[in-house]
Amino acid sequence: MKLNRRQILASLGFGAALTATGWPRRVHSSPIAWPSPLRVGDRLIGVAPGTWVDPDTLQGDRGWQRLYQDWGFDLVIPEQSLGQWTYFSASDADRAALLRQAWRDPGADGVVCIAGGWGAARSLEAGFAPGASPRWCVGFSDNCALLLAQLAAGGRGGIHGWKDERVRQLLMGEPVGPLTGQPLRGGVAEGELVVTNLTVGTHLIGTPWMPSLDGTILVLEDVGEAPYRIDRMLTQWRTAGLLQNLAGIGLGHFRWIPEDVLPGDLSLAEVLEDRLGDLGIPIVQGLPVGHGRPNKALPLGRRARLDAQAGTLSLLS
């Protein structure tokens, strides 16, 4: 994800097992717990794990607090979330401390990431650890680092989303309809969802914050990355051994600057076919997920069904 930070903001008990990277991977020995569905009046905390908050995202009918108020929730945005330190909302240590406080606040039911840009992974490096306790966490783009880290720790409640009605439905435990795209490789697969921005996920490879992908349905999206850079990142995922045991793949929005594509470059369709087509698993492309409109919310860790005959992705549980 070649980030223009302001454009990105505006566009919008477990045992350890060693992996091939040498990092401990969580092995779940008990049933996975999910946070309880929210009810009208429940409280959430707005956090900025990376880049400082663009004031435009706080104003008007689609401002964060107005939106969540319309949904029936009380979204509290601490003053610390609205600061600025270089292009971050605060120093790494202060952002990590605020995340710990918000994540463990007994009077709140979860967190909402109100800015993207860059810096969530630095908050993890600075010591924030989501842990295995269930907790609602809404975010996408750079905040995929938090969602993936939560999943890697064994926690549930992460929602890859922004300001979409499906976020409210998922938070309140309401059913949501299937997402529709176009078949790329036929077949039907079931597995837990892992959803991430491709660039953010790529930069977590080899860290303790990348969850196991074995048997999962992996959904990828990106923005600002030309097809040759998508090729480079998918090659990294292949050579790191992360794509070999997937159940299926969903592909969301991919957008880039036209000037980044030169005569003779592979098209995105050619890159996806070449890097993913030989995996022998169902693949659906063109899903309404990620940087673009619509950006439909998906919950990480929920079981889903990818029907690459019909071109649909549906939640099962």
Side-chain angles (χ1 to χ4, degrees):
M1 185 170 53
K2 188 178 180 182
L3 290 170
N4 177 321
R5 298 179 190 88
R6 301 270 65 83
Q7 288 179 339
I8 296 298
L9 291 170
S11 72
L12 307 158
F14 298 95
L18 289 179
T19 68
T21 64
W23 288 101
R25 187 83 76 198
R26 299 289 183 178
V27 177
H28 308 299
S29 58
S30 59
I32 298 298
W34 281 82
S36 299
L38 296 186
R39 298 172 296 179
V40 170
D42 281 347
R43 181 170 173 258
L44 297 161
I45 300 178
V47 296
T51 301
W52 60 277
V53 178
D54 188 331
D56 289 345
T57 68
L58 302 176
Q59 307 301 319
D61 291 344
R62 294 291 287 175
W64 283 107
Q65 285 177 312
R66 175 64 180 273
L67 175 66
Y68 275 75
Q69 181 183 40
D70 289 347
W71 286 349
F73 306 134
D74 178 21
L75 178 64
V76 177
I77 302 178
E79 191 65 32
Q80 302 98 301
S81 294
L82 303 178
Q84 186 175 0
W85 181 78
T86 66
Y87 53 78
F88 301 116
S89 63
S91 69
D92 293 347
D94 286 345
R95 295 198 317 280
L98 178 59
L99 279 169
R100 280 194 296 271
Q101 181 181 351
W103 202 271
R104 292 163 175 76
D105 187 336
D109 297 282
V111 300
V112 177
C113 300
I114 60 174
W118 158 242
R122 289 179 58 132
S123 297
L124 294 169
E125 182 194 22
F128 172 64
S133 298
R135 192 70 163 167
W136 292 116
C137 178
V138 180
F140 89 117
S141 191
D142 177 61
N143 299 303
C144 288
L146 298 185
L147 302 177
L148 292 175
Q150 180 184 23
L151 197 62
R156 293 297 188 273
I159 296 176
H160 182 280
W162 189 237
K163 295 182 175 182
D164 175 57
E165 169 69 10
R166 280 173 61 104
V167 171
R168 182 198 66 77
Q169 292 174 304
L170 291 168
L171 288 172
M172 301 189 80
E174 298 177 3
V176 295
L179 301 185
T180 302
Q182 300 85 45
L184 179 61
R185 277 287 179 271
V188 177
E190 293 184 5
E192 290 189 358
L193 280 174
V194 178
V195 191
T196 186
N197 173 269
L198 176 60
T199 297
V200 173
T202 299
H203 288 92
L204 292 186
I205 293 174
T207 74
W209 306 305
M210 174 62 81
S212 172
L213 301 180
D214 291 352
T216 66
I217 294 173
L218 176 65
V219 180
L220 299 170
E221 60 85 29
D222 217 321
V223 65
E225 299 292 357
Y228 81 89
R229 289 195 287 266
I230 300 297
D231 185 330
R232 183 164 59 203
M233 287 186 282
L234 289 177
T235 299
Q236 171 70 12
W237 288 65
R238 288 172 64 96
T239 56
L242 297 182
L243 303 182
Q244 279 68 16
N245 296 315
L246 294 174
I249 295 176
L251 300 168
H253 299 299
F254 286 85
R255 297 189 294 123
W256 59 89
I257 300 171
E259 290 77 14
D260 283 346
V261 179
L262 300 177
D265 285 357
L266 292 175
S267 68
L268 178 64
E270 290 171 328
V271 167
L272 297 177
E273 171 69 28
D274 180 74
R275 296 288 74 194
L276 303 176
D278 64 349
L279 297 176
I281 57 177
I283 303 175
V284 174
Q285 61 185 341
L287 292 170
V289 176
H291 292 80
R293 296 188 178 182
N295 178 12
K296 296 297 183 181
L298 287 172
L300 280 75
R302 286 272 297 272
R303 285 195 63 80
R305 187 173 194 262
L306 185 75
D307 186 337
Q309 309 299 122
T312 59
L313 176 63
S314 309
L315 298 185
L316 295 177
S317 61

